[in-house]
Amino acid sequence: MKKYFSIVMLLIIVSCNQSKKSSDIKKEITSTKPNIVIIYLDDLGYGDLSSYGATELQTPNMDALANGGIKFTNGYASSATCTPSRYALLTGMYPWRNKNAKILPGTAPLLIDTKQQTLPKLLKNQGYQTAIVGKWHLGLGTGIVNWNEKVTPGPNEVGFDESYILAATQDRVPTVYIKNGNVVGLDKNDPIEVNYKENFEGEPTAISNPEMLTMKWHHGHNSSIVNGIPRIGYMKGGESAKWVDTEMADHFLAKAQHYVKTHKENPFFLYYAMQQPHVPRTPHPRFVGKSGLGPRGDVILEADWAIGEFMKTLKDEGILENTLIVFSSDNGPVLNDGYFDDADEKIGKHDPKGGLRGGKYSIFEAGTRVPFITYWKGTIAPQVSDAIVCQMDLLASIADLVNTKETSTDSKEILQAFLGKTKKGRENLIIEATGKTALRSGDWLYIPAYDGENFREAVGIEVGNFPYEQLYNLKKDRAQQSNLAISELEKLSEMKQLFINLRGKDYQKGVKEVVFQ
Ligand code: NG6
Ligand code: CA
């Protein structure tokens, strides 16, 4: 009897140990391989979130991330425009190392070399499932694209298992969704043709047929008309495949939610690249007039709602505590980016720049300093961090998180800053705006002398060009009002030297070639 009792006890102990072990292992796997979601907005400014100081607009769902995670106050996109920032985010490389990393037309070839390291590739190699839903704007194909066949290479060739994208921007043709290289809903009898140089004979444009427009163009945006909205570039055919602008937010949200629901059993990386508040601003009728700030405010509310719905899905699927969420924007804000849409007229007291100088296209802070949040329920303690962090650093930092190393790029491993264990991020960072570069180092910002106009009339933004050098102490002078280049000579020469060391002597090269399209 005694012997029998000891055997039973032994069995109980062994089985307890075993079950403990397997749950430990599971815990280990989930903690070293959390799901990773990057929620990336388009042209959202530092001051566009109520948690970042907006008073005229409430963004409760973005705020829930900012207040429940780390709200970075010195978080940067690499650049003041979309393509270069997205390039840096995905490849961990400074975009100015690639001369083609500038705002791309919808017909541009793939900007990322298929041999290059990328964030999705790195995660895929660690066993992750990977997907992009939303705006791509990093080129597709190798030159001349036939939109009626599989368009490749694209996101699927640089690390994404699955892709559901808009090719370039909402204001550029082709105005269709592309799933894993194939235009969605295309009727082969109505092939799509795209051209950025000339129109197709007989096709209406904003110039020839202004009566067809439901939205008026201010500058640029006067080529093909789709859904009453004039676009950049010419497109013919593909009628059944054309997206409905007002449904785009719901459409991408549904795709992102579906992805989560169908991939939650194993670690996944989802790059959810939302289109708001880039032009044309086309809120769903549910959001029209809701912000009182015109369509720009309305689409921010729409994006906020979509983020709330997406977060609910993570929660309902039981994976919220096992998901790291990074929230940011590809560049700073702009009001008039080419359409008459009341953005300027209805701005009232709202300051999308959050007190920073400049805006989209600008080498001043509002161009690249953006809302930047990391959120991981139960793992990241809520806090505000003034660490200097850049989206480019996610590659090396996430590598560390998933127990690998990535040292071949410009990406800095600052995982502890992203997890809130330290307030120390990068020491310095080169920022970029339409080809011009500047140096942030500690509290200081150095901008070399550049030719050209400072004030870009069409968009109403100071882009930061002056024929003399600029030096700012951002800690004391966040709004960049006092140029200390004449008084802080020692600092100036130290910054200039560091800038040249990091950037190279030829920093002026190519700057003039970058034309504003
Ligand atoms: C500019 C467009 C602007 C926007 C931008 C790209 C004109 C006049 N302006 O050339 O509307 O599309 O490119 O924005 O065409 S970004 O956020 O994708 O960089
Ligand atoms: Ca953008």
Side-chain angles (χ1 to χ4, degrees):
M1 185 64 196
K2 209 177 160 194
K3 198 176 164 197
Y4 175 73
F5 179 75
S6 350
I7 290 172
V8 170
M9 280 309 285
L10 192 73
L11 280 176
I12 292 173
I13 292 167
V14 168
S15 72
C16 275
N17 262 353
Q18 263 176 358
S19 73
K20 203 172 167 198
K21 256 188 204 153
S22 69
S23 74
D24 270 359
I25 290 167
K26 197 159 180 224
K27 212 169 158 203
E28 202 180 300
I29 290 174
T30 50
S31 65
T32 56
K33 286 199 166 59
N35 305 310
I36 299 168
V37 176
I38 298 181
I39 301 177
Y40 206 52
L41 278 91
D42 194 359
D43 298 2
L44 189 73
Y46 188 93
D48 275 324
L49 278 67
S50 26
S51 45
Y52 273 80
T55 50
E56 309 304 296
L57 177 91
Q58 293 304 310
T59 51
N61 296 300
M62 298 180 197
D63 297 349
L65 297 176
N67 298 331
I70 309 175
K71 177 180 125 179
F72 288 97
T73 56
N74 280 296
Y76 286 86
S78 76
S79 304
T81 56
C82 168
T83 301
S85 289
R86 283 160 207 258
Y87 180 81
L89 169 74
L90 292 184
T91 67
M93 294 302 286
Y94 272 126
W96 42 266
R97 295 199 196 281
N98 183 336
K99 65 175 178 17
N100 297 321
K102 44 193 172 194
I103 300 172
L104 295 177
T107 45
L110 180 65
L111 181 65
I112 302 173
D113 192 313
T114 53
K115 291 189 210 78
Q116 240 174 296
Q117 177 62 304
T118 66
L119 184 53
K121 255 190 208 172
L122 178 137
L123 288 168
K124 205 169 148 152
N125 286 337
Q126 297 304 311
Y128 273 74
Q129 313 164 83
T130 57
I132 169 175
V133 171
K135 174 173 172 173
W136 177 240
H137 210 187
L138 287 165
L140 293 167
T142 51
I144 296 165
V145 171
N146 180 349
W147 302 95
N148 306 290
E149 287 170 4
K150 188 169 177 159
V151 180
T152 183
N156 297 57
E157 285 67 40
V158 297
F160 290 105
D161 298 328
E162 293 176 52
S163 64
Y164 194 97
I165 58 166
L166 73 84
T169 57
Q170 204 189 324
D171 54 353
R172 282 174 174 75
V173 298
T175 47
V176 294
Y177 298 119
I178 301 171
K179 183 179 179 183
N180 298 325
N182 298 302
V183 171
V184 178
L186 181 67
D187 173 358
K188 295 274 173 204
N189 298 318
D190 180 26
I192 296 186
E193 287 179 78
V194 178
N195 191 320
Y196 270 71
K197 294 210 171 78
E198 50 185 345
N199 192 19
F200 301 95
E201 219 186 304
E203 292 296 311
T205 70
I207 307 276
S208 67
N209 294 71
E211 77 288 352
M212 285 173 66
L213 303 179
T214 52
M215 199 186 275
K216 301 261 181 282
W217 58 281
H218 176 273
H219 56 279
H221 307 97
N222 54 20
S223 318
S224 287
I225 306 167
V226 181
N227 306 333
I229 302 170
R231 317 276 168 160
I232 307 173
Y234 302 99
M235 172 174 164
K236 183 184 175 190
E239 206 48 53
S240 60
K242 286 178 182 167
W243 66 48
V244 179
D245 293 271
T246 50
E247 283 169 15
M248 189 175 279
D250 288 355
H251 196 76
F252 283 146
L253 170 64
K255 299 291 168 199
Q257 288 173 315
H258 180 74
Y259 184 80
V260 166
K261 287 182 190 161
T262 50
H263 293 77
K264 64 174 180 181
E265 299 303 337
N266 291 300
F268 64 80
F269 166 54
L270 173 63
Y271 173 34
Y272 180 15
M274 303 174 78
Q275 86 284 7
Q276 302 102 330
H278 195 281
V279 294
R281 294 154 185 148
T282 52
H284 188 275
R286 299 194 304 280
F287 296 94
V288 172
K290 287 288 180 305
S291 68
L293 300 175
R296 184 175 185 278
D298 296 347
V299 297
I300 293 176
L301 297 191
E302 178 188 68
D304 186 72
W305 167 83
I307 290 168
E309 292 302 297
F310 180 76
M311 293 303 294
K312 262 187 227 156
T313 303
L314 291 180
K315 189 159 179 254
D316 294 348
E317 298 302 318
I319 55 171
L320 185 57
E321 300 202 4
N322 186 32
T323 304
L324 165 66
I325 292 151
V326 179
F327 171 97
S328 203
S329 171
D330 66 344
N331 53 253
V334 55
L335 296 179
N336 180 346
D337 208 11
Y339 295 99
F340 287 98
D341 67 357
D342 275 353
D344 255 326
E345 292 78 355
K346 294 204 170 149
I347 193 70
K349 285 198 248 115
H350 180 53
D351 176 18
K353 307 187 299 305
L356 300 171
R357 187 170 177 183
K360 182 176 180 178
Y361 311 110
S362 180
I363 198 71
F364 284 134
E365 287 292 281
T368 49
R369 209 198 293 192
V370 286
F372 200 135
I373 301 164
T374 53
Y375 175 97
W376 186 351
K377 193 170 177 5
T379 296
I380 289 180
Q383 61 197 276
V384 177
S385 174
D386 61 2
I388 301 176
V389 299
C390 179
Q391 293 159 7
M392 192 170 66
D393 302 326
L394 290 167
L395 180 77
S397 305
I398 287 176
D400 200 45
L401 177 69
V402 299
N403 289 333
T404 178
K405 282 257 162 291
E406 178 49 64
T407 52
S408 66
T409 67
D410 295 310
S411 184
K412 287 253 189 289
E413 190 279 287
I414 47 168
L415 180 64
Q416 297 313 311
F418 285 130
L419 296 181
K421 302 278 166 55
T422 169
K423 297 271 155 82
K424 206 171 141 24
R426 295 187 145 248
E427 277 164 16
N428 53 56
L429 173 72
I430 302 277
I431 52 171
E432 186 263 347
T434 64
K436 299 179 297 284
T437 40
L439 169 71
R440 165 100 202 235
S441 177
D443 293 336
W444 294 85
L445 189 89
Y446 166 74
I447 308 175
Y450 287 110
D451 291 341
E453 287 292 307
N454 174 45
F455 191 71
R456 189 170 281 176
E457 198 78 45
V459 287
I461 287 174
E462 281 191 287
V463 291
N465 283 354
F466 285 101
Y468 46 80
E469 294 170 300
Q470 299 175 74
L471 180 71
Y472 297 98
N473 182 324
L474 295 177
K475 194 159 195 181
K476 295 193 185 137
D477 176 25
R478 206 178 158 263
Q480 297 179 290
Q481 295 301 302
S482 311
N483 181 6
L484 303 179
I486 5 167
S487 52
E488 299 278 350
L489 294 180
E490 225 169 280
K491 194 70 191 172
L492 181 74
S493 97
E494 178 197 318
M495 291 290 286
K496 186 173 186 171
Q497 198 50 54
L498 182 58
F499 173 73
I500 304 273
N501 289 349
L502 295 168
R503 175 69 178 89
K505 277 201 202 71
D506 62 350
Y507 65 90
Q508 291 278 6
K509 213 175 137 206
V511 170
K512 280 209 195 103
E513 292 152 34
V514 180
V515 282
F516 178 50
Q517 303 153 332

